Amino acid sequence: MSQDMLVLLAESLWETIYMVSVSAFIASIIGLPMGIILTTTAKGHILEQPWINKVLGAVVNATRSTPFIILMVAIIPLTRLIAGTSIGTNAAIVPLTIAAAPFIARIVESSLKEVDTGVVEAAQAMGASPLQIITKVLLPEALPSIILGLTLAIISLIGFSAMAGAIGGGGLGDLAIRYGYQRFRADIMLITVIILIVQVQVVQSCGDYFSRKLNKK
Amino acid sequence: MIDLQNIHKIYPTTNGSLVALNGINLRIKRGEIFGVIGKSGAGKSTLIRCINMLERPTEGTVVVDNEDITAMPEKELRQARKKIGMIFQHFNLLSSRTVYDNVAFPLELQGMSPAQIKDTVMPLLELVGLETKKDQFPSQLSGGQKQRVGIARALANKPKVLLCDEATSALDPQTTKSILSLLKSINTKFQLTIVLITHEMHVIKEICDQVAVIEGGEIVEQGSILQTFTKPQSNTTREFVSTIMNHDIPAVLAEHDFSKQPQPDSNLILRLSFIGHSAEEPIIASMIRHFNVVPNILFGNIDQIQNTPYGTLVIELAGEQQSIQNALNYLRSKELGIEVIGYVSRHARAIG
Ligand SMILES: Nc1ncnc2c1ncn2[C@@H]1O[C@H](COP(=O)(O)OP(=O)(O)OP(=O)(O)O)[C@@H](O)[C@H]1O
Ligand SMILES: [Mg+2]
């Protein structure tokens, strides 16, 4: 393989890492509070608010049921508004974030719901405020499970980012399509696939490691 | 210390409303260990959870330490809860925190400094005998040790009241004993009022001063332990008492027909219970001396309820009907519990 090809590969790998990490980061910042709200406003929980819960739940479901490729195209105007363009890695971050945030919200919600209600009750009996229950009970107790969930979200994002590449988002997906598919470079195709697999493995192993390390159950 | 006035709790359910508590009135004195016993579904947990408003009563007032906590706004209630410790059947410790950090938790909620926290937590860990386990996580502890952490945590805020919701139900008999004696020593040491709910009579017998029996959301009986154990009034109480004390009719008599009224040619079967000093008086001996009756002891048992000797005796009295009645009146004049089991035909019994 030529020097140019290697540079191209390295660039694409970096683009993928960049897209995935930035969108995972922003999506977490949005998804985490959403997950907390979804949990605590549910019936019988510490901040019971059936209406907020229903509306937020509906928004999350709507986003999650839209296939990524359609979502990406559908929000192009919004992408232009935020990123100033609809192609390139920065533009891809917008739909990636919008797709991942509700996914993370649900992951956080299900992790928080796993926390033993008895423990929440004990905190209430000690006079903890709802905010204290969230920060000192729910989140620390659910952390190992949230980390596993975030790992899953990052892996999905790696997949999505490859799809984003298909419409000019850059990254390994883009490379695979432009060279591997359109120019019949089977070697490039193979290498990108291998890199994607290795990436997923590494992310999963890291997630497993940290989750296990934090889990005291 | 705790005053429950006309507490009702009604849960709305899909098929109508469910009355979990139906007009509970209880007064618990400072420094007392107050037991509430009842069968599953009787409303015990609902009742104890009403004391710290984990469950808001549908109707009625809860007064703790002269403060009406049913009328408090959320913020004040949180403050009041800090003075009401609680321990649970399943311990409810934070699995992500060490023993030390679990006990520190309520203090952290108060915003106490780490140095102050340490000064409070270490003596508590010593009190419950877990100094050496302070850096372990709950998953590394036995049930009894977990409950000790729960107790230390509940005491961290120096509460005036400790609520125990089936605190020993998940523990084996020996561990139960050690936890109960820990609770007793805390009660004496800090003059702490303890409310304890359980479905096990031996827990009540072990440490409670007062007991209330709850059934179907109502208190069916209430009184001192000695009184309740020796003279149970309701059937439920009798059932509970019989789980640890033999109140059954001895097997030798089981197949006979009893009549509650004196019959000619019949013997009287009596259950006598002796409490404290009356156990030391030679009542039976003087009965024999004064009345022309022949007693036959069918069953006897001596037990202790919190250091007070307590004996039961099932006897059969044979003799002239008049003598039997005189003997019965004599026994009734003494300080002992008498239960007439019945009269049984002398033919059926080959004595006297
Ligand atoms: N949140 C709830 N919603 C509806 N019904 C409830 C609720 N909590 C308790 N109940 C009902 O109230 C009644 C009393 O329940 P409670 O938990 O107080 O009983 P308990 O005496 O503690 O029983 P156990 O020994 O089994 O713990 C039961 O019939 C129960 O089904
Ligand atoms: Mg219960």
Side-chain angles (χ1 to χ4, degrees):
Chain A
M1 200 179 298
S2 70
Q3 189 80 32
D4 292 354
M5 235 34 249
L6 280 176
V7 171
L8 211 54
L9 262 173
E11 262 173 15
S12 301
L13 175 61
W14 165 247
E15 279 172 0
T16 295
I17 292 174
Y18 171 76
M19 276 191 293
V20 170
S21 37
V22 173
S23 54
F25 180 74
I26 302 174
S28 299
I29 289 175
I30 301 168
L32 192 68
M34 268 166 54
I36 292 171
I37 294 169
L38 278 173
T39 311
T40 54
T41 58
K43 195 168 157 16
H45 218 287
I46 52 172
L47 295 170
E48 184 172 331
Q49 290 288 345
W51 272 107
I52 296 184
N53 193 270
K54 272 203 190 92
V55 171
L56 191 60
V59 171
V60 165
N61 285 346
T63 323
R64 285 200 58 201
S65 51
T66 315
F68 178 68
I69 201 96
I70 292 173
L71 179 87
M72 201 164 49
V73 177
I75 64 160
I76 281 179
L78 180 71
T79 306
R80 274 217 190 90
L81 197 73
I82 295 173
T85 166
S86 64
I87 36 180
T89 45
N90 281 330
I93 286 172
V94 177
L96 284 174
T97 305
I98 289 175
F103 184 58
I104 291 175
R106 284 293 184 209
I107 281 167
V108 170
E109 182 195 13
S110 78
S111 300
L112 295 181
K113 281 197 166 146
E114 273 168 36
V115 175
D116 183 8
T117 50
V119 181
V120 175
E121 215 158 63
Q124 279 177 311
M126 286 182 259
S129 67
L131 187 66
Q132 285 176 320
I133 290 176
I134 292 168
T135 57
K136 286 180 176 288
V137 179
L138 290 177
L139 289 175
E141 289 288 296
L143 195 58
S145 157
I146 290 177
I147 286 181
L148 281 184
L150 286 181
T151 309
L152 192 67
I154 292 172
I155 289 171
S156 307
L157 272 176
I158 293 174
F160 287 165
S161 79
M163 246 188 267
I167 59 159
L172 290 166
D174 187 31
L175 184 75
I177 288 182
R178 274 192 290 131
Y179 289 81
Y181 179 65
Q182 286 161 0
R183 296 182 202 174
F184 308 106
R185 288 286 300 268
D187 55 340
I188 300 280
M189 193 62 134
L190 190 66
I191 288 175
T192 51
V193 168
I194 289 172
I195 293 177
L196 283 170
I197 290 172
V198 170
Q199 246 182 340
V200 168
Q201 290 292 354
V202 168
V203 169
Q204 186 66 58
S205 305
C206 287
D208 287 344
Y209 174 79
F210 286 116
S211 169
R212 213 172 320 116
K213 195 146 183 180
L214 287 166
N215 195 348
K216 306 295 182 191
K217 277 209 180 118
Chain B
M1 191 68 190
I2 301 173
D3 204 354
L4 303 181
Q5 294 157 9
N6 194 31
I7 303 292
H8 290 257
K9 177 74 197 185
I10 297 160
Y11 289 112
T13 61
T14 41
N15 38 8
S17 51
L18 189 146
V19 182
L21 296 176
N22 191 11
I24 302 271
N25 289 291
L26 278 184
R27 184 164 287 207
I28 300 169
K29 292 205 221 54
R30 187 180 301 274
E32 206 166 56
I33 302 188
F34 194 103
V36 177
I37 189 163
K39 295 178 191 165
S40 187
K44 304 182 295 289
S45 299
T46 311
L47 176 63
I48 201 163
R49 292 156 53 84
C50 278
I51 299 179
N52 62 0
M53 295 286 116
L54 278 181
E55 213 70 78
R56 207 165 258 286
T58 318
E59 194 189 321
T61 357
V62 180
V63 179
V64 179
D65 201 23
N66 299 320
E67 289 186 299
D68 179 356
I69 61 168
T70 23
M72 281 182 186
E74 215 23 61
K75 214 166 168 187
E76 239 176 278
L77 173 63
R78 286 207 283 271
Q79 222 47 46
R81 275 177 175 164
K82 295 183 176 163
K83 291 292 161 205
I84 307 175
M86 189 167 193
I87 57 175
F88 305 84
Q89 178 173 6
H90 299 293
F91 325 119
N92 297 351
L93 303 176
L94 289 139
S95 64
S96 57
R97 285 177 172 241
T98 61
V99 167
Y100 179 95
D101 288 333
N102 262 286
V103 181
F105 181 73
L107 304 170
E108 269 178 40
L109 296 179
Q110 306 254 55
M112 216 184 242
S113 77
Q116 279 176 301
I117 288 179
K118 192 166 182 202
D119 289 344
T120 313
V121 174
M122 288 319 291
L124 282 171
L125 288 179
E126 234 163 86
L127 176 76
V128 300
L130 288 177
E131 317 90 288
T132 57
K133 303 268 178 198
K134 76 180 181 51
D135 296 321
Q136 309 231 296
F137 286 92
S139 60
Q140 299 165 297
L141 302 178
S142 71
Q145 289 167 335
K146 283 183 198 162
Q147 196 57 288
R148 283 168 187 273
V149 179
I151 292 172
R153 179 175 74 173
L155 295 178
N157 274 324
K158 302 192 170 55
K160 297 183 176 131
V161 173
L162 180 65
L163 308 176
C164 314
D165 186 351
E166 301 265 7
T168 57
S169 300
L171 306 173
D172 63 54
Q174 215 167 349
T175 316
T176 295
K177 251 197 154 85
S178 79
I179 293 291
L180 290 179
S181 68
L182 175 62
L183 288 176
K184 180 78 201 171
S185 74
I186 290 165
N187 161 257
T188 342
K189 194 168 173 186
F190 303 114
Q191 274 298 299
L192 185 69
T193 310
I194 297 182
V195 185
L196 184 154
I197 68 164
T198 182
H199 61 268
E200 295 172 312
M201 204 58 175
H202 70 92
V203 170
I204 301 273
K205 180 187 161 199
E206 198 85 29
I207 61 164
C208 292
D209 304 313
Q210 292 279 320
V211 61
V213 182
I214 186 170
E215 191 179 14
E218 293 177 26
I219 302 288
V220 292
E221 189 164 350
Q222 190 191 339
S224 75
I225 297 300
L226 215 52
Q227 183 196 331
T228 312
F229 273 70
T230 53
K231 295 173 189 160
Q233 303 296 314
S234 73
N235 279 332
T236 317
T237 316
R238 239 183 303 262
E239 254 176 69
F240 276 122
V241 170
S242 71
T243 58
I244 53 162
M245 286 191 197
N246 196 338
H247 260 207
D248 294 339
I249 295 165
V252 278
L253 294 174
E255 70 258 30
H256 295 297
D257 290 328
F258 291 105
S259 117
K260 281 288 170 192
Q261 297 307 318
Q263 303 286 328
D265 286 337
S266 62
N267 293 347
L268 171 61
I269 315 279
L270 282 178
R271 186 198 315 276
L272 307 177
S273 36
F274 305 85
I275 306 155
H277 285 303
S278 73
E280 293 156 19
E281 251 183 82
I283 291 173
I284 301 284
S286 47
M287 178 191 73
I288 300 172
R289 201 156 348 109
H290 289 97
F291 308 95
N292 191 18
V293 288
V294 182
N296 179 28
I297 296 177
L298 303 173
F299 172 83
N301 181 37
I302 301 251
D303 203 339
Q304 281 216 339
I305 300 173
Q306 294 167 13
N307 302 324
T308 307
Y310 164 68
T312 16
L313 213 52
V314 177
I315 62 172
E316 177 173 20
L317 290 183
E320 289 298 319
Q321 204 44 247
Q322 192 52 49
S323 311
I324 291 179
Q325 290 309 311
N326 290 341
L328 181 59
N329 287 334
Y330 167 78
L331 293 174
R332 284 199 167 125
S333 72
K334 296 290 170 189
E335 290 242 326
L336 40 81
I338 298 182
E339 186 194 338
V340 173
I341 295 175
Y343 294 86
V344 61
S345 156
R346 199 162 301 167
H347 299 301
R349 308 278 304 149
I351 67 154

